[in-house]
């Protein structure tokens, strides 16, 4: 059971209620994560806006983004985050073998050099914050400066999500978003 009440639209503060209704009006799924953040209206709106930028306006290849998110979820033990992103990862070309091996990616033959660079970078940022020159230089072979900034922000953002979901014990939604389109809405 969640430690903080998951608010229905009518229970949310007026600014959050309006924002949740706007999400629904755009055809997007309103996640339990959003309903939890609805306790703090400005946190909710800015949180969702940044997530949408990273999902829909980034140069970073979506496959790399989703590999990083799955790895962050694995490292943080966030079942919610992992389960929400498996269908999205599959949508953007992450294979089932990669999903099954994300916890042991260094020993798995299912990742190419670019994916390994992203996962190595994700591990170091998530676990150490600082990144070795070796890992950074390897990543820079595959990504532009802009994509590296977006990857780093992605790691920070989805790490923050895990740090909201896990301590507050936010319950997995009855219906998963299932696709990036359902997370973003398209109306």
């Amino acid at each position: 059971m969640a430690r903080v009440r998951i608010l229905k639209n009518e229970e949310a503060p007026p600014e959050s209620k309006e924002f949740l209704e706007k999400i629904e009006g755009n055809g997007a799924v309103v996640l339990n994560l959003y309903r939890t953040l609805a306790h703090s209206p400005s946190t909710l709106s800015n949180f969702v806006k940044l997530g949408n930028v990273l999902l829909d306006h980034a140069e970073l290849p979506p496959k790399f983004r989703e590999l990083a998110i799955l790895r962050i979820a694995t490292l943080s033990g966030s079942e919610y985050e992992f389960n929400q992103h498996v269908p999205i990862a599959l949508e953007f070309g992450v294979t089932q073998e990669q999903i099954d091996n994300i916890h042991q990616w260094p020993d798995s033959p299912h990742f190419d050099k670019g994916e390994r660079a992203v996962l190595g970078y994700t591990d170091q940022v998530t676990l150490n914050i600082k990144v070795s020159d070796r890992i950074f230089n390897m990543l820079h072979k595959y990504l532009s400066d802009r994509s590296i900034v977006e990857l780093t922000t992605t790691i920070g953002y989805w790490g923050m999500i895990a740090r909201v979901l896990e301590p507050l014990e936010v319950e997995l939604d009855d219906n998963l978003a299932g696709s990036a389109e359902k997370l973003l809405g398209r109306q």
Side-chain angles (χ1 to χ4, degrees), residues 93-181:
V94 176
T95 67
Q96 188 61 54
E97 291 82 11
Q98 290 175 318
I99 293 166
D100 295 342
N101 285 273
I102 199 82
H103 66 287
Q104 60 185 27
W105 71 265
D107 300 321
S108 172
H110 299 289
F111 301 93
D112 67 28
K113 289 180 181 180
E115 295 161 348
R116 289 179 179 286
V118 167
L119 290 167
Y121 187 78
T122 300
D123 280 6
Q124 285 202 352
V125 172
T126 302
L127 298 171
N128 306 327
I129 300 171
K130 293 188 180 221
V131 175
S132 71
D133 288 340
R134 183 182 69 77
I135 293 291
F136 186 85
N137 292 334
M138 187 183 330
L139 182 70
H140 211 265
K141 291 179 185 177
Y142 300 97
L143 295 178
S144 68
D145 288 349
R146 175 180 170 173
S147 288
I148 291 171
V149 168
E150 292 168 351
L151 175 61
T152 307
T153 306
T154 294
I155 294 165
Y157 180 79
W158 270 274
M160 176 182 63
I161 290 175
R163 284 162 177 81
V164 170
L165 293 169
E166 292 309 304
L168 299 181
E169 297 181 1
V170 178
E171 299 161 357
L172 189 60
D173 302 82
D174 290 335
N175 297 313
L176 298 177
S179 72
E181 185 174 309

Side-chain angles (χ1 to χ4, degrees), residues 3-187:
R3 290 179 166 168
V4 173
R5 200 160 36 97
I6 297 172
L7 299 175
K8 296 176 181 163
N9 289 11
E10 61 274 6
E11 299 171 320
E15 302 93 338
S16 290
K17 178 182 181 202
E18 182 179 328
F19 194 80
L20 294 172
E21 289 172 349
K22 181 178 176 185
I23 292 171
E24 290 172 333
N26 287 332
V29 173
V30 177
L31 304 172
N32 283 345
L33 171 62
Y34 300 166
R35 294 188 180 287
T36 300
L37 292 171
H39 288 278
S40 175
S42 61
T43 300
L44 171 65
S45 63
N46 288 297
F47 180 91
V48 172
K49 288 174 188 173
L50 178 56
N52 287 351
V53 166
L54 294 170
L55 285 169
D56 202 34
H57 300 287
E59 175 185 279
L60 177 69
K63 183 177 185 179
F64 285 171
R65 178 194 68 228
E66 293 303 318
L67 283 170
I69 294 168
L70 292 176
R71 184 61 182 159
I72 294 159
T74 299
L75 291 170
S76 65
S78 180
E79 184 180 328
Y80 182 111
E81 191 167 54
F82 192 88
N83 286 325
Q84 280 289 5
H85 278 272
V86 164
I88 299 167
L90 290 167
E91 174 185 3
F92 288 111
V94 176
T95 67
Q96 188 61 54
E97 291 82 11
Q98 290 175 318
I99 293 166
D100 295 342
N101 285 273
I102 199 82
H103 66 287
Q104 60 185 27
W105 71 265
D107 300 321
S108 172
H110 299 289
F111 301 93
D112 67 28
K113 289 180 181 180
E115 295 161 348
R116 289 179 179 286
V118 167
L119 290 167
Y121 187 78
T122 300
D123 280 6
Q124 285 202 352
V125 172
T126 302
L127 298 171
N128 306 327
I129 300 171
K130 293 188 180 221
V131 175
S132 71
D133 288 340
R134 183 182 69 77
I135 293 291
F136 186 85
N137 292 334
M138 187 183 330
L139 182 70
H140 211 265
K141 291 179 185 177
Y142 300 97
L143 295 178
S144 68
D145 288 349
R146 175 180 170 173
S147 288
I148 291 171
V149 168
E150 292 168 351
L151 175 61
T152 307
T153 306
T154 294
I155 294 165
Y157 180 79
W158 270 274
M160 176 182 63
I161 290 175
R163 284 162 177 81
V164 170
L165 293 169
E166 292 309 304
L168 299 181
E169 297 181 1
V170 178
E171 299 161 357
L172 189 60
D173 302 82
D174 290 335
N175 297 313
L176 298 177
S179 72
E181 185 174 309
K182 288 183 182 175
L183 272 180
L184 294 165
R186 296 287 185 219
Q187 290 186 358

